[in-house]
Amino acid sequence: MKARAKYQTWIRIRKLLIFLVISVILLIVTLLPINLYLRVLSGFLSLPFIYIAFLLSYSVYQFATFGGNYQSKIHDLIVAKVIWDGEGKILDIGTGNGSLIIKLAKTFPNSVLTGIDYWGENWEYSKAQCQQNAEIEGVNERIHFLKASASELPFNDDEFDIVVSCLTFHEVKDRRDKTEVIKEALRVLKPGGVFVFLDLFMDENIFGDEKELINNIKKHGISELNSSKLAEEIKLPKLLLGKKVLGNAMIFDGRK
Ligand SMILES: C[S@@+](CC[C@H](N)C(=O)[O-])C[C@H]1O[C@@H](n2cnc3c(N)ncnc32)[C@H](O)[C@@H]1O
């Protein structure tokens, strides 16, 4: 049987399991023949855990290929924004299990691609899985996967024709100011090159004021910058539009 690529969703299964297990334990306590006060307390305490476990499970279902397939659809949206002749180099920052970069490799058969990721222990992605996925999809010869941090890219200025990134800048822990991480991504893009960044840019706690963020990026040698809310670009199920899921997601695309 032909092996299938494993992309995983953006929801960590470990995290989901923790909330599920705590919910079940608290619910079991409510059924035990113990002090009524403790049983009621346990019942109340279980409510937020049940809600989060439900939200995480629902998100897994909607993001996965066996459900709504929204993760793949969102990557398709990013690929569609790459208006390009296809000759040259692409960089994907925070490549995860390689889903987006593999789509780009298939769309642009003459391109040479690099996917970087920190692949920290708290994520369920790995370089080995990226390489295996690329091999299964028949594009491994053109994609190079590299462990590096988005905060300090191991590339020269103006090296890539295309730079993309999906839901990664907000995760970068080794730079407090996330605008600096965006500037680092733009540093390695050639003048005239195309960038497409999707992230939780509307979350003020992470990226600060949205207008200020856009002005800051514009000052960084950008000739064109378009911004749009993800929810305006693709119809998403209502629960995915919560602030804790994709409610703050925006796409910045343009040219250096
Ligand atoms: C929500 S996942 C998105 C993965 C992938 N872009 C996708 O759309 O499927 C966030 C990714 O950011 C990566 N990441 C976290 N900190 C990073 C850093 N400092 N440098 C590069 N990647 C990082 C994680 O390993 C993870 O793969």
Side-chain angles (χ1 to χ4, degrees):
M1 203 172 75
K2 194 175 175 283
R4 291 184 62 171
K6 289 193 191 102
Y7 291 118
Q8 299 275 112
T9 72
W10 294 319
I11 307 296
R12 285 159 266 198
I13 296 300
R14 217 178 305 137
K15 189 172 162 188
L16 165 61
L17 286 177
I18 290 171
F19 280 95
L20 269 178
V21 168
I22 296 176
S23 306
V24 170
I25 291 173
L26 289 169
L27 281 176
I28 289 174
V29 171
T30 63
L31 300 174
L32 292 176
I34 52 167
N35 181 299
L36 181 66
Y37 172 76
L38 283 179
R39 289 169 60 190
V40 172
L41 182 68
S42 185
F44 269 117
L45 285 178
S46 70
L47 294 177
F49 287 95
I50 293 170
Y51 175 70
I52 294 172
F54 165 73
L55 193 60
L56 292 173
S57 314
Y58 178 79
S59 302
V60 169
Y61 175 75
Q62 289 296 359
F63 289 144
T65 41
F66 60 79
N69 204 21
Y70 279 98
Q71 204 161 300
S72 178
K73 289 176 188 167
I74 289 170
H75 286 158
D76 286 339
L77 189 65
I78 295 177
V79 174
K81 285 187 181 281
V82 179
I83 312 296
W84 185 44
D85 65 6
E87 303 286 335
K89 289 167 73 175
I90 304 183
L91 172 68
D92 177 20
I93 299 174
T95 200
N97 263 358
S99 159
L100 173 59
I101 200 166
I102 289 170
K103 278 183 190 285
L104 285 161
K106 287 176 159 181
T107 309
F108 300 108
N110 293 331
S111 62
V112 177
L113 308 96
T114 304
I116 73 107
D117 200 294
Y118 190 68
W119 290 302
E121 274 180 13
N122 59 338
W123 283 94
E124 291 154 354
Y125 302 121
S126 70
K127 182 177 174 181
Q129 189 63 57
C130 283
Q131 283 164 335
Q132 197 178 328
N133 288 343
E135 207 172 314
I136 291 168
E137 305 271 17
V139 290
N140 54 317
E141 287 184 359
R142 287 187 292 119
I143 310 183
H144 177 51
F145 291 104
L146 189 73
K147 184 173 169 80
S149 177
S151 62
E152 212 167 328
L153 296 168
F155 307 114
N156 297 324
D157 294 357
D158 310 337
E159 202 172 320
F160 292 90
D161 300 273
I162 307 292
V163 178
V164 299
S165 185
C166 181
L167 291 172
T168 294
F169 298 136
H170 76 277
E171 292 288 349
V172 176
K173 301 284 183 282
D174 50 345
R175 271 291 178 286
R176 220 168 63 88
D177 182 353
K178 305 302 180 228
T179 314
E180 292 302 315
V181 190
I182 302 174
K183 287 181 184 170
E184 176 63 358
L186 293 170
R187 177 184 69 77
V188 302
L189 181 65
K190 278 182 189 169
V194 170
F195 63 90
V196 185
F197 302 149
L198 186 152
D199 213 324
L200 310 176
F201 295 125
M202 282 189 287
D203 189 332
E204 286 205 359
N205 295 323
I206 301 173
F207 289 100
D209 179 68
E210 188 192 314
K211 285 203 178 87
E212 219 170 281
L213 173 68
I214 291 176
N215 283 338
N216 252 330
I217 300 172
K218 274 186 181 160
K219 273 188 230 152
H220 202 68
I222 299 305
S223 63
E224 180 193 332
L225 172 62
N226 312 299
S227 61
S228 51
K229 292 180 182 168
L230 179 64
E232 290 167 355
E233 299 265 349
I234 185 170
K235 195 166 163 32
L236 292 168
K238 226 176 176 169
L239 274 181
L240 293 189
L241 288 173
K243 296 280 181 211
K244 293 275 174 230
V245 194
L246 291 175
N248 281 319
M250 283 188 89
I251 300 178
F252 288 168
D253 67 285
R255 258 175 216 283
K256 189 166 170 183

Short mmCIF file of all heavy atoms in Angstrom, two decimals, residues 9 11-12 15-17 19-20 50-63 244-245:
data_model
loop_
_atom_site.label_atom_id
_atom_site.label_comp_id
_atom_site.label_asym_id
_atom_site.label_seq_id
_atom_site.Cartn_x
_atom_site.Cartn_y
_atom_site.Cartn_z
N THR A 9 -2.39 18.38 12.41
CA THR A 9 -3.08 19.68 12.39
C THR A 9 -2.30 20.65 13.29
O THR A 9 -1.33 20.28 13.93
CB THR A 9 -4.53 19.58 12.90
OG1 THR A 9 -4.50 19.37 14.31
CG2 THR A 9 -5.30 18.48 12.20
N ILE A 11 -3.27 21.75 15.94
CA ILE A 11 -3.61 21.49 17.35
C ILE A 11 -2.74 20.34 17.86
O ILE A 11 -2.70 19.28 17.25
CB ILE A 11 -5.11 21.10 17.50
CG1 ILE A 11 -6.01 22.14 16.83
CG2 ILE A 11 -5.48 20.87 18.97
CD1 ILE A 11 -5.98 23.52 17.43
N ARG A 12 -2.07 20.60 18.98
CA ARG A 12 -1.21 19.55 19.53
C ARG A 12 -2.07 18.50 20.24
O ARG A 12 -2.86 18.83 21.12
CB ARG A 12 -0.20 20.16 20.52
CG ARG A 12 0.89 20.88 19.81
CD ARG A 12 1.57 21.86 20.69
NE ARG A 12 0.99 23.19 20.52
CZ ARG A 12 1.57 24.32 20.88
NH1 ARG A 12 2.74 24.31 21.44
NH2 ARG A 12 0.97 25.47 20.69
N LYS A 15 -1.77 18.28 24.01
CA LYS A 15 -2.53 19.32 24.74
C LYS A 15 -4.01 18.92 24.85
O LYS A 15 -4.62 19.00 25.91
CB LYS A 15 -2.39 20.63 23.96
CG LYS A 15 -2.93 21.84 24.67
CD LYS A 15 -2.52 23.06 23.87
CE LYS A 15 -3.34 24.26 24.23
NZ LYS A 15 -3.08 25.39 23.33
N LEU A 16 -4.54 18.41 23.73
CA LEU A 16 -5.95 17.98 23.71
C LEU A 16 -6.16 16.86 24.73
O LEU A 16 -7.14 16.87 25.50
CB LEU A 16 -6.31 17.52 22.30
CG LEU A 16 -7.59 16.70 22.13
CD1 LEU A 16 -8.80 17.50 22.57
CD2 LEU A 16 -7.77 16.28 20.68
N LEU A 17 -5.22 15.91 24.76
CA LEU A 17 -5.36 14.78 25.68
C LEU A 17 -5.33 15.23 27.14
O LEU A 17 -6.09 14.73 27.98
CB LEU A 17 -4.26 13.74 25.44
CG LEU A 17 -4.44 12.89 24.17
CD1 LEU A 17 -3.27 11.95 23.98
CD2 LEU A 17 -5.76 12.11 24.22
N PHE A 19 -6.38 18.08 28.39
CA PHE A 19 -7.69 18.65 28.74
C PHE A 19 -8.76 17.56 28.82
O PHE A 19 -9.62 17.59 29.70
CB PHE A 19 -8.09 19.74 27.74
CG PHE A 19 -7.41 21.04 28.04
CD1 PHE A 19 -6.24 21.38 27.42
CD2 PHE A 19 -7.93 21.90 29.00
CE1 PHE A 19 -5.58 22.57 27.71
CE2 PHE A 19 -7.29 23.09 29.31
CZ PHE A 19 -6.10 23.43 28.67
N LEU A 20 -8.68 16.56 27.95
CA LEU A 20 -9.67 15.47 27.98
C LEU A 20 -9.55 14.68 29.28
O LEU A 20 -10.55 14.40 29.96
CB LEU A 20 -9.44 14.52 26.79
CG LEU A 20 -10.20 14.82 25.51
CD1 LEU A 20 -9.82 13.82 24.44
CD2 LEU A 20 -11.70 14.81 25.75
N ILE A 50 -13.92 20.94 29.96
CA ILE A 50 -14.75 20.28 28.94
C ILE A 50 -14.87 21.19 27.71
O ILE A 50 -14.73 20.75 26.57
CB ILE A 50 -16.15 19.95 29.50
CG1 ILE A 50 -16.04 18.88 30.59
CG2 ILE A 50 -17.11 19.50 28.40
CD1 ILE A 50 -17.30 18.64 31.37
N TYR A 51 -15.07 22.50 27.97
CA TYR A 51 -15.23 23.44 26.85
C TYR A 51 -13.95 23.46 25.99
O TYR A 51 -14.00 23.37 24.77
CB TYR A 51 -15.56 24.84 27.37
CG TYR A 51 -15.59 25.85 26.26
CD1 TYR A 51 -16.62 25.82 25.31
CD2 TYR A 51 -14.59 26.81 26.12
CE1 TYR A 51 -16.64 26.71 24.25
CE2 TYR A 51 -14.60 27.71 25.06
CZ TYR A 51 -15.63 27.66 24.14
OH TYR A 51 -15.64 28.54 23.09
N ILE A 52 -12.78 23.56 26.67
CA ILE A 52 -11.52 23.64 25.90
C ILE A 52 -11.28 22.32 25.17
O ILE A 52 -10.88 22.32 24.00
CB ILE A 52 -10.33 24.03 26.82
CG1 ILE A 52 -10.55 25.45 27.34
CG2 ILE A 52 -9.01 23.95 26.07
CD1 ILE A 52 -9.58 25.91 28.40
N ALA A 53 -11.55 21.19 25.85
CA ALA A 53 -11.35 19.88 25.20
C ALA A 53 -12.25 19.77 23.96
O ALA A 53 -11.83 19.29 22.90
CB ALA A 53 -11.65 18.75 26.18
N PHE A 54 -13.49 20.28 24.09
CA PHE A 54 -14.41 20.25 22.95
C PHE A 54 -13.89 21.13 21.81
O PHE A 54 -13.84 20.72 20.65
CB PHE A 54 -15.81 20.71 23.39
CG PHE A 54 -16.69 21.05 22.23
CD1 PHE A 54 -17.22 20.03 21.43
CD2 PHE A 54 -16.95 22.37 21.89
CE1 PHE A 54 -18.00 20.33 20.32
CE2 PHE A 54 -17.73 22.68 20.78
CZ PHE A 54 -18.25 21.66 20.00
N LEU A 55 -13.47 22.36 22.17
CA LEU A 55 -12.99 23.30 21.15
C LEU A 55 -11.76 22.75 20.41
O LEU A 55 -11.65 22.85 19.18
CB LEU A 55 -12.64 24.64 21.82
CG LEU A 55 -12.42 25.82 20.89
CD1 LEU A 55 -13.67 26.11 20.06
CD2 LEU A 55 -12.04 27.06 21.69
N LEU A 56 -10.85 22.14 21.18
CA LEU A 56 -9.65 21.57 20.56
C LEU A 56 -10.02 20.40 19.64
O LEU A 56 -9.52 20.29 18.53
CB LEU A 56 -8.64 21.12 21.63
CG LEU A 56 -7.98 22.24 22.45
CD1 LEU A 56 -7.13 21.66 23.58
CD2 LEU A 56 -7.11 23.13 21.56
N SER A 57 -10.92 19.52 20.12
CA SER A 57 -11.32 18.36 19.30
C SER A 57 -12.01 18.82 18.02
O SER A 57 -11.75 18.31 16.92
CB SER A 57 -12.30 17.44 20.04
OG SER A 57 -11.86 17.21 21.33
N TYR A 58 -12.89 19.81 18.18
CA TYR A 58 -13.61 20.34 17.02
C TYR A 58 -12.63 20.96 16.01
O TYR A 58 -12.75 20.77 14.80
CB TYR A 58 -14.62 21.39 17.50
CG TYR A 58 -15.38 22.04 16.38
CD1 TYR A 58 -16.46 21.39 15.78
CD2 TYR A 58 -15.03 23.31 15.91
CE1 TYR A 58 -17.15 21.98 14.73
CE2 TYR A 58 -15.71 23.91 14.87
CZ TYR A 58 -16.78 23.24 14.28
OH TYR A 58 -17.46 23.81 13.25
N SER A 59 -11.63 21.68 16.55
CA SER A 59 -10.64 22.32 15.66
C SER A 59 -9.83 21.25 14.93
O SER A 59 -9.56 21.39 13.73
CB SER A 59 -9.69 23.23 16.46
OG SER A 59 -10.42 24.21 17.14
N VAL A 60 -9.42 20.19 15.64
CA VAL A 60 -8.69 19.10 14.97
C VAL A 60 -9.54 18.58 13.81
O VAL A 60 -9.06 18.44 12.68
CB VAL A 60 -8.37 17.95 15.96
CG1 VAL A 60 -7.86 16.72 15.21
CG2 VAL A 60 -7.33 18.39 16.99
N TYR A 61 -10.81 18.33 14.09
CA TYR A 61 -11.70 17.78 13.06
C TYR A 61 -11.80 18.72 11.86
O TYR A 61 -11.69 18.31 10.71
CB TYR A 61 -13.09 17.51 13.66
CG TYR A 61 -14.09 17.07 12.62
CD1 TYR A 61 -14.03 15.77 12.10
CD2 TYR A 61 -15.04 17.95 12.14
CE1 TYR A 61 -14.91 15.37 11.11
CE2 TYR A 61 -15.93 17.56 11.15
CZ TYR A 61 -15.86 16.28 10.63
OH TYR A 61 -16.72 15.88 9.65
N GLN A 62 -11.97 20.01 12.13
CA GLN A 62 -12.13 20.96 11.02
C GLN A 62 -10.83 21.18 10.24
O GLN A 62 -10.86 21.40 9.04
CB GLN A 62 -12.65 22.32 11.53
CG GLN A 62 -14.09 22.28 11.99
CD GLN A 62 -15.08 21.97 10.85
OE1 GLN A 62 -14.71 21.81 9.70
NE2 GLN A 62 -16.34 21.86 11.21
N PHE A 63 -9.69 21.11 10.93
CA PHE A 63 -8.42 21.33 10.24
C PHE A 63 -7.97 20.10 9.44
O PHE A 63 -7.28 20.22 8.44
CB PHE A 63 -7.31 21.71 11.23
CG PHE A 63 -7.45 23.10 11.82
CD1 PHE A 63 -7.10 23.38 13.14
CD2 PHE A 63 -7.93 24.14 11.05
CE1 PHE A 63 -7.23 24.65 13.67
CE2 PHE A 63 -8.07 25.43 11.57
CZ PHE A 63 -7.71 25.67 12.88
N LYS A 244 -9.52 32.61 20.24
CA LYS A 244 -8.50 31.63 20.64
C LYS A 244 -8.14 30.67 19.51
O LYS A 244 -7.25 29.84 19.65
CB LYS A 244 -9.00 30.81 21.85
CG LYS A 244 -9.15 31.60 23.13
CD LYS A 244 -7.81 31.69 23.85
CE LYS A 244 -7.89 32.60 25.06
NZ LYS A 244 -6.83 33.60 25.10
N VAL A 245 -8.85 30.79 18.39
CA VAL A 245 -8.53 29.92 17.26
C VAL A 245 -8.02 30.84 16.10
O VAL A 245 -6.88 31.29 16.16
CB VAL A 245 -9.71 29.02 16.83
CG1 VAL A 245 -9.24 27.90 15.91
CG2 VAL A 245 -10.39 28.40 18.05
#
